[in-house]
Amino acid sequence: MRLDTVPLQRFADAAEHMTAECGWIDMLLADHVRQLRTEGRFNDDPMRGLYARADDVLRDLERAPRSVPAYDRLRAVIDARAALAPPPLFRIAEACGLDAFARNALALVAAPAIDRRYRTAFAFAQNDMSRAWPTPDLLVELLAPDARMARLAHFAASAPLIALGLVGFADGEEARPLADRALVVDDRVVQALLGLSCGPDPRVADWLAEAPVPDRPLELPPLTAAPEDALVLIECTGDAGQGIRTARWSRDRGKELLIVAAEPALSGELPVAKLAMLMAREALLRGASLMIDAMAGPGPPGRLEALLTILSLLAPPVVAAVRPGTIDGARLPYERRIRRMALAPPDAAERRIWWGSAIGEGGTADHLAWSTRLGADAIAALGRHPAEISAAAAARCRRSLPSILRRVEPRWRREELILPAPILRQLDELTAFVAHWPQVIGQWGFAASHPQARACIALFAGPSGTGKTMAAGIVAAAAEIDLYRVNLAAVFDKYIGETEKQLDRLFDAAADAGVGVLCDEADVLFGARTEMRDAHDRYANLCTAHILQRIEDHEGLVILSTNLPKNMDDAFARRLTHSIAFPFPDPGQRARLWRAAFPPAAALDGDIAWDEIAATFELSGGNIRNAALASAYLAAANGAPIGMPHILRAVARELEKTGRAPIAADFGRLALPG
């Protein structure tokens, strides 16, 4: 049965449509070769292409243009069937703005990549066996010989066929005239024409992701963009739901949304023009909108602006999410076609609504809204059963924490903390402050009248080894939050301004994740400002002032631990919500510490004088734990239970750490170990 006699019905799939296109191409090429023979322009000499005859040149110059028959019934049938349900070729042509000539040219250029017999057919059609791929000259002669000059414009660098990478010139063809360059298509375009789901182009696959579709719709205002907008710039400081807003806007237009991670894409080796072409082509082949996510960083200077400029021309409208001040407006042309939107950072009340929409109303939504600063996009990606959401949210938050924060494992119990009763009460008050912060600040509305109440800054001051770090871990565990210690060596930077940037990243990430921050030796980081004598003093004072302001704006728990509280800037006192002084343990507390330092399974002599050891040696809890461990190793080496000689020898080693050799007076009535 001839294809042009098939009743008009939609194509079953892309394969059936491309089979029909190949049938049309067969007839077109066969007619072309017959025409060459009829006009005497076909040369059967096997050496053709290596020489030119004068008669052939004159015949080519003198021939009159011929028109493609208007009654090409097969072409009309294919077009009519495609109109019922557009196959991939027609959808791509519409998305890319191709007219009928460019669409048919794309099908012709793709034919040799689909069926190798067309390589021979095109060589015969061009009367040159070395030319197995079609050229613009051949395509014009096949499709529109009466409009040669106008149709050649379809193969200019700015024309959609070339600019979007739908077809390209073969390697090594640059030196040839435009009309005589071989045209090819790459695998990604062929896959799209055949309706194959083979994923994006490998050159950009690592930076592309489909927008998340939340299990439940979140309550967010839609993105607004006019048809004439080439670029929509969303400026925000964090996750304000820009991904979901853009995805909803894209779905309203009948398209999916592809999100591009700008920083890794622009930091690669691909030129910006090539990168923009591949991204725009991928979006158009898939019938998708493009969103450039530059929240993690804009990449090398100038490249983001160049990328947005090209994309806004190739595949408008393009949406870009950037931090304020990231984009240099002077580098963006077509200012009249740029729409700017500013999204304010969401507060806890908004996050509460989003969590409620994602996982349902309840205590879990309240807790997550006030304990983390995950935005709508992150919440949508985590949307699942409430029983799993807390662990998933915590894992998601930890991934964003910088390497300068190290987790403090919750290995201590409340009963192990041996401190005076007033200090224990203060720690209980601090625990209650942290644990009930969401209720007081959020549900009871204290956040509106007490802006500083969002921060919980505690100072733990006291001699080394008195339990400050241990207490911090116990408080965080009791309040059910993770605690992270700051690596001070990674915070300070020799370059001006970098220390402040590190601190900003640290506190932003901690607030977003809802974790507590422990600054050991805080007097180093929060030292008192001094009189300015030189540029170093001025910079140190500026750094301290920045830290003062930054810690005041922080939302969450910060514990400052120091042995030297007098070295800290006086301005910190006003910003502290809790200040706890850890005293040196008295003899009674030291006796309890000695007994607690040995596990129940440890082999102990029955004649150890705990009270006398505690009264004789003024050691901190940390020193006592060290001495207990050292005595255990000494006893194990002797093959005996832990006894007084082992403990006293371990104590002597602890005293040596202070910089002086122990003497008999240090041991009182206890025998000085040999």
Side-chain angles (χ1 to χ4, degrees):
M1 179 184 294
R2 290 176 50 187
L3 285 174
D4 59 353
T5 63
V6 175
L8 288 183
Q9 58 183 5
R10 60 187 297 175
F11 289 106
D13 51 30
E16 183 185 4
H17 168 248
M18 290 308 295
T19 299
E21 291 286 352
C22 288
W24 170 71
I25 293 173
D26 291 343
M27 296 178 61
L28 195 64
L29 290 175
D31 180 69
H32 178 70
V33 172
R34 283 194 298 268
Q35 188 72 20
L36 291 178
R37 290 186 180 278
T38 300
E39 296 176 357
R41 295 190 292 126
F42 193 84
N43 187 352
D44 293 313
D45 190 337
M47 301 298 290
R48 63 185 180 276
L50 301 179
Y51 66 93
R53 297 182 302 191
D55 292 344
D56 294 338
V57 173
L58 291 174
R59 191 177 296 110
D60 286 342
L61 293 175
E62 293 172 356
R63 76 179 190 274
R66 64 181 179 85
S67 300
V68 176
Y71 52 85
D72 186 351
R73 291 186 296 165
L74 180 56
R75 180 72 262 166
V77 169
I78 293 174
D79 292 349
R81 295 182 64 189
L84 299 176
L89 172 62
F90 280 69
R91 291 199 300 267
I92 292 169
E94 181 180 3
C96 298
L98 305 182
D99 59 15
F101 173 86
R103 184 189 66 224
N104 293 335
L106 175 58
L108 281 163
V109 178
I114 297 173
D115 191 337
R116 68 182 304 274
R117 65 190 175 91
Y118 286 109
R119 292 173 61 88
T120 304
F122 279 124
F124 263 85
Q126 295 178 96
N127 200 19
D128 186 344
M129 293 307 296
S130 66
R131 307 293 283 168
W133 293 88
T135 62
D137 180 80
L138 175 63
L139 295 176
V140 170
E141 188 168 353
L142 290 172
L143 299 174
D146 57 336
R148 179 179 182 81
M149 298 306 172
R151 297 309 182 188
L152 279 178
H154 285 77
F155 305 99
S158 58
L161 277 175
I162 303 298
L164 294 172
L166 299 175
V167 303
F169 297 112
D171 293 338
E173 296 285 309
E174 295 82 2
R176 290 179 177 271
L178 173 64
D180 197 36
R181 296 177 187 172
L183 291 164
V184 296
V185 294
D186 63 21
D187 292 346
R188 181 66 187 96
V189 177
V190 175
Q191 293 164 4
L193 293 176
L194 294 176
L196 303 178
S197 300
C198 300
D201 191 300
R203 289 169 288 185
V204 295
D206 291 341
W207 313 314
L208 284 176
E210 294 184 7
V213 179
D215 295 335
R216 302 183 186 184
L218 302 187
E219 297 182 14
L220 288 170
L223 182 71
T224 55
E228 65 272 14
D229 293 332
L231 176 63
V232 179
L233 281 179
I234 301 177
E235 295 182 319
C236 48
T237 57
D239 183 354
Q242 55 268 24
I244 292 180
R245 296 171 194 249
T246 308
R248 181 175 298 169
W249 163 78
S250 186
R251 285 196 300 271
D252 291 343
R253 301 171 65 227
K255 297 184 176 184
E256 63 174 316
L257 178 66
L258 293 180
I259 300 178
V260 180
E263 186 176 31
L266 292 169
S267 299
E269 298 179 354
L270 279 177
V272 175
K274 183 73 171 180
L275 183 65
M277 182 275 288
L278 292 172
M279 290 179 179
R281 186 181 73 177
E282 190 63 37
L284 294 170
L285 290 179
R286 297 175 61 165
S289 302
L290 268 180
M291 176 180 176
I292 309 302
D293 183 3
M295 296 301 296
R303 286 172 64 89
L304 177 60
E305 291 86 350
L307 177 70
L308 295 178
T309 297
I310 300 173
L311 286 176
S312 64
L313 297 174
L314 296 180
V318 176
V319 179
V322 300
R323 293 185 181 275
T326 299
I327 294 292
D328 182 0
R331 295 175 180 263
L332 294 176
Y334 308 105
E335 282 289 338
R336 66 184 184 278
R337 300 180 62 192
I338 296 178
R339 181 182 294 270
R340 294 179 181 268
M341 296 180 59
L343 299 182
D347 57 21
E350 288 180 282
R351 296 195 299 267
R352 171 65 185 78
I353 295 173
W354 296 342
W355 279 114
S357 299
I359 63 174
E361 301 294 332
T364 301
D366 291 335
H367 172 74
L368 291 171
W370 289 97
S371 63
T372 72
R373 292 203 308 193
L374 290 179
D377 291 345
I379 293 171
L382 294 172
R384 61 185 73 181
H385 194 275
E388 305 173 357
I389 198 68
S390 294
R396 166 69 176 78
C397 292
R398 290 193 195 105
R399 289 199 301 269
S400 64
L401 292 174
S403 58
I404 58 177
L405 288 175
R406 305 290 176 83
R407 189 164 187 254
V408 178
E409 296 297 333
R411 59 180 181 271
W412 300 290
R413 300 189 307 274
R414 174 68 168 76
E415 55 270 21
E416 297 178 33
L417 198 58
I418 300 173
L419 290 168
I423 303 300
L424 293 176
R425 283 197 297 271
Q426 291 184 64
L427 291 174
D428 291 339
E429 292 171 4
L430 174 59
T431 302
F433 190 106
V434 178
H436 298 288
W437 180 75
Q439 178 182 4
V440 174
I441 300 303
Q443 297 176 14
W444 291 359
F446 275 82
S449 58
H450 296 74
Q452 306 305 324
R454 294 176 178 272
C456 178
I457 307 170
L459 175 65
F460 287 3
S464 177
T466 51
K468 298 184 295 296
T469 301
M470 181 180 181
I474 291 172
V475 167
E480 298 183 349
I481 65 171
D482 292 332
L483 184 67
Y484 283 76
R485 178 188 282 113
V486 178
N487 179 10
L488 292 179
V491 170
F492 289 100
D493 197 289
K494 63 181 179 180
Y495 296 106
I496 293 177
E498 289 303 312
T499 299
E500 289 86 342
K501 291 179 182 178
Q502 292 275 32
L503 288 168
D504 286 343
R505 284 192 288 267
L506 182 158
F507 285 113
D508 283 341
D512 291 343
V515 301
V517 177
L518 171 62
C519 296
D520 266 339
E521 312 300 336
D523 51 283
V524 176
L525 188 60
F526 303 93
R529 286 168 287 188
T530 61
E531 181 182 351
M532 287 190 294
R533 296 184 179 87
D534 54 25
H536 297 87
D537 293 335
R538 180 175 181 274
Y539 172 64
N541 289 346
L542 285 174
C543 186
T544 301
H546 176 81
I547 297 171
L548 283 167
Q549 184 62 49
R550 190 63 185 79
I551 201 170
E552 187 174 20
D553 295 338
H554 181 64
E555 188 174 307
L557 171 65
V558 179
I559 297 177
L560 311 176
S561 170
T562 179
N563 306 334
L564 303 169
K566 293 183 179 179
N567 289 356
M568 298 183 66
D569 196 286
D570 293 337
F572 276 105
R574 180 181 62 83
R575 292 165 170 84
L576 296 175
T577 56
H578 296 76
S579 181
I580 303 176
F582 285 70
F584 203 85
D586 60 27
Q589 292 165 354
R590 291 199 295 270
R592 293 172 59 196
L593 288 168
W594 273 111
R595 291 186 177 91
F598 292 92
L604 292 171
D605 267 349
D607 59 349
I608 299 177
W610 299 116
D611 293 337
E612 192 168 357
I613 294 174
T616 303
F617 305 109
E618 295 185 0
L619 298 175
S620 68
N623 295 130
I624 291 173
R625 285 193 299 272
N626 292 341
L629 182 62
S631 68
Y633 279 111
L634 291 171
N638 292 339
I642 304 170
M644 287 291 289
H646 307 114
I647 293 175
L648 294 176
R649 186 174 293 112
V651 168
R653 298 294 175 264
E654 286 299 307
L655 293 176
E656 288 175 356
K657 293 179 183 178
T658 63
R660 63 180 180 85
I663 60 177
D666 294 327
F667 290 81
R669 293 185 302 170
L670 301 174
L672 177 66

